[in-house]
């Protein structure tokens, strides 16, 4: 597994335009993204083409798609810097005024560094009258410790309040406690498997759920939010021996609502993260209407990380390509840029 270092630039003082710069390490699964570095990349050339695409009465969206969907996050940051130097304006502001709807949401998302985008999505999920619990679950159940720490740091700098405080102000009960546990970014990320402890963990989860009247959700939290991936895969094997059921089936039987959703997301991400995202994409598009917030968030966030694996899982699970699903469920420039991020059939 390769590791990729991005430099996260967090605005500290909006009036003085000063910044805090800190390196953050992100996991990348080899070269499993559909978006890769553009050869012969010259940011100034891209800036010139983008300016031409935006000047005048209309906007040439095809040029914006061509550039934004075929540059890496790091390359897009260099384009942003070159744009500001050449024009004296923020590129995101100019694009925002030129574009609209879901297409604009995708383009602006692509301009952000990964943890900045996650923090932005989480803020949008929390603000206002309701809470988009699916966003909280999708992000916090699937990110590594380093990624969660970066999200926490950026969120605090951008909004002056901790993400934990805002999550606690907008959620309640055991669901809130699971999210807070995930926000501590304290999961063991070693590859150590304690065979004896795996048996104990499986037995304790069984006794906290299937073997009793009512459910002790805290025991599920303690095991599922703390232990490392390899250890938990062994726990799940032992659990099936003891209970005769898959851990996912037991969670569905013992819990409901957001708590069920977050525990299932944790288990699915531990087992097969690309399959988790493939399922989320499928559910965002199947039936009448499209949950665009989910579709956009996953396509933007995973394009450079594991989209090839997500596509493979999608085809395996649903016998249809992700490309064909997006093509049939979206339209216009929004469809064009998503299909480019998807990377073909």
């Amino acid at each position: 597994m390769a590791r990729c270092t991005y430099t996260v630039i967090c605005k500290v003082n909006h009036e003085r335009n000063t910044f805090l710069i800190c390196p953050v390490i992100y996991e990348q699964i080899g070269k499993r993204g559909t978006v890769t570095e553009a050869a012969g990349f010259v940011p100034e050339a891209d800036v010139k083409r983008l300016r031409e695409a935006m000047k005048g009465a209309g906007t040439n969206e095809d040029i914006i798609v061509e550039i934004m969907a075929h540059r890496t996050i790091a390359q897009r940051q260099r384009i942003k810097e070159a744009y500001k130097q050449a024009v004296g304006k923020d590129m995101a502001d100019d694009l925002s005024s030129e574009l609209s709807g879901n297409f604009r949401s995708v383009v602006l998302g692509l301009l952000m560094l990964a943890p900045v985008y996650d923090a932005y999505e989480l803020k949008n999920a929390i603000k206002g009258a309701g809470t988009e619990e699916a966003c909280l679950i999708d992000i916090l159940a699937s990110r590594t410790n380093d990624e969660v720490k970066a999200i926490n740091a950026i969120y605090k700098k951008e909004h002056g309040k901790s993400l934990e405080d805002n999550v606690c102000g907008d959620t309640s009960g055991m669901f809130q406690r699971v999210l807070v546990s995930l926000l501590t970014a304290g999961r063991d990320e070693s590859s150590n498997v304690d065979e004896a402890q795996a048996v104990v963990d499986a037995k304790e989860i069984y006794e906290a759920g299937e073997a009793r009247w009512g459910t002790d959700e805290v025991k599920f939290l303690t095991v599922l939010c703390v232990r490392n991936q390899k250890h938990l895969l062994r726990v799940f094997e032992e659990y099936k021996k003891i209970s005769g059921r898959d851990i996912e089936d037991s969670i569905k039987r013992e819990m409901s609502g957001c708590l069920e959703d977050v525990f299932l997301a944790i288990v699915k991400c531990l087992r097969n993260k690309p399959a988790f995202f493939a399922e989320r994409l499928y559910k965002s598009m199947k039936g009448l209407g499209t949950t665009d917030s989910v579709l956009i968030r996953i396509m933007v966030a995973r394009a450079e990380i594991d989209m090839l694996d997500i596509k493979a899982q999608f085809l395996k699970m649903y016998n249809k390509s992700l490309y064909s699903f997006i093509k049939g469920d979206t339209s216009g420039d929004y469809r064009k840029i998503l299909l480019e991020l998807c990377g073909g059939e």
Side-chain angles (χ1 to χ4, degrees):
M1 182 177 287
R3 290 172 76 82
C4 176
T5 304
Y6 296 136
T7 300
V8 176
I9 306 176
C10 313
K11 186 174 284 190
V12 176
N13 188 317
H14 292 267
E15 292 180 359
R16 295 185 181 179
N17 205 33
T18 55
F19 296 85
L20 172 70
I21 302 176
C22 53
V24 177
I25 294 176
Y26 276 87
E27 299 283 7
Q28 284 203 298
I29 319 296
K31 293 182 179 179
R32 303 303 300 160
T34 48
V35 175
T36 56
E37 282 194 354
F41 172 65
V42 180
E44 292 77 14
D46 284 344
V47 167
K48 183 179 179 182
R49 294 188 68 207
L50 286 167
R51 288 182 67 191
E52 289 172 355
M54 287 187 278
K55 75 180 180 182
T59 305
N60 189 332
E61 287 86 356
D62 287 344
I63 290 176
I64 294 170
V65 170
E66 181 189 334
I67 292 173
M68 295 301 294
H70 295 280
R71 305 292 185 270
T72 61
I73 293 171
Q75 287 178 328
R76 291 184 209 119
Q77 304 315 301
R78 292 182 60 192
I79 294 170
K80 282 170 65 177
E81 290 168 12
Y83 190 96
K84 183 170 278 190
Q85 187 174 24
V87 183
K89 292 176 70 180
D90 189 86
M91 182 172 145
D93 291 341
D94 280 358
L95 284 168
S96 184
S97 66
E98 291 285 330
L99 310 177
S100 62
N102 291 323
F103 180 56
R104 176 170 62 187
S105 296
V106 175
V107 171
L108 295 181
L110 290 170
L111 278 175
M112 300 179 200
L113 288 159
V116 176
Y117 183 60
D118 282 344
Y120 170 82
E121 285 289 290
L122 289 166
K123 180 62 177 176
N124 284 340
I126 292 169
K127 74 178 183 182
T131 304
E132 190 197 345
E133 289 86 356
C135 176
L136 301 179
I137 293 168
D138 284 358
I139 293 175
L140 297 181
S142 65
R143 301 314 192 245
T144 65
N145 288 347
D146 282 340
E147 288 169 346
V148 173
K149 287 173 185 174
I151 292 165
N152 279 328
I154 288 164
Y155 194 98
K156 184 70 180 289
K157 293 295 181 187
E158 288 290 320
H159 306 295
K161 195 172 183 181
S162 75
L163 178 54
E164 181 182 328
D165 285 345
N166 280 351
V167 165
C168 286
D170 234 51
T171 58
S172 61
M174 187 54 62
F175 177 57
Q176 178 192 98
R177 290 170 67 174
V178 173
L179 295 179
V180 168
S181 178
L182 295 173
L183 281 167
T184 64
R187 182 186 295 281
D188 172 17
E189 289 186 338
S190 74
S191 57
N192 300 326
V193 178
D194 185 330
E195 293 290 342
Q197 187 62 48
V199 174
V200 171
D201 286 343
K203 186 178 179 184
E204 288 189 349
I205 290 177
Y206 175 67
E207 290 174 350
E210 293 280 2
R212 58 176 282 171
W213 182 260
T215 307
D216 179 5
E217 294 97 346
V218 176
K219 181 51 67 177
F220 280 80
L221 184 158
T222 302
V223 175
L224 295 179
C225 296
V226 177
R227 308 282 193 260
N228 72 60
Q229 180 188 24
K230 284 192 174 180
H231 179 88
L232 281 168
L233 294 179
R234 282 290 297 120
V235 171
F236 301 156
E237 290 175 7
E238 289 298 325
Y239 182 85
K240 190 160 189 177
K241 291 179 187 176
I242 294 168
S243 69
R245 284 196 179 91
D246 186 85
I247 184 69
E248 289 183 32
D249 293 332
S250 288
I251 289 171
K252 291 173 187 175
R253 283 165 55 90
E254 293 295 314
M255 298 169 199
S256 62
C258 294
L259 184 61
E260 175 189 337
D261 291 341
V262 72
F263 277 135
L264 283 176
I266 291 167
V267 171
K268 288 174 180 179
C269 286
L270 289 164
R271 282 179 159 167
N272 188 332
K273 198 176 289 186
F276 168 75
F277 286 120
E279 181 185 12
R280 295 291 292 128
L281 286 168
Y282 176 77
K283 288 182 176 178
S284 77
M285 290 182 280
K286 74 168 187 174
L288 292 173
T290 305
T291 310
D292 293 294
S293 60
V294 175
L295 176 58
I296 292 168
R297 182 165 58 245
I298 296 173
M299 294 304 295
V300 169
R302 309 310 294 187
E304 203 174 320
I305 301 174
D306 54 0
M307 187 55 68
L308 291 173
D309 296 321
I310 292 169
K311 285 171 61 177
Q313 288 294 326
F314 194 99
L315 184 61
K316 180 180 177 183
M317 292 161 69
Y318 305 110
N319 204 30
K320 288 186 177 180
S321 71
L322 176 59
Y323 187 95
S324 68
F325 242 71
I326 292 171
K327 189 174 182 180
D329 223 60
T330 57
S331 62
D333 297 311
Y334 176 44
R335 173 201 277 164
K336 287 179 185 176
I337 197 163
L338 289 182
L339 291 178
E340 291 301 310
L341 293 175
C342 184
E345 288 276 12

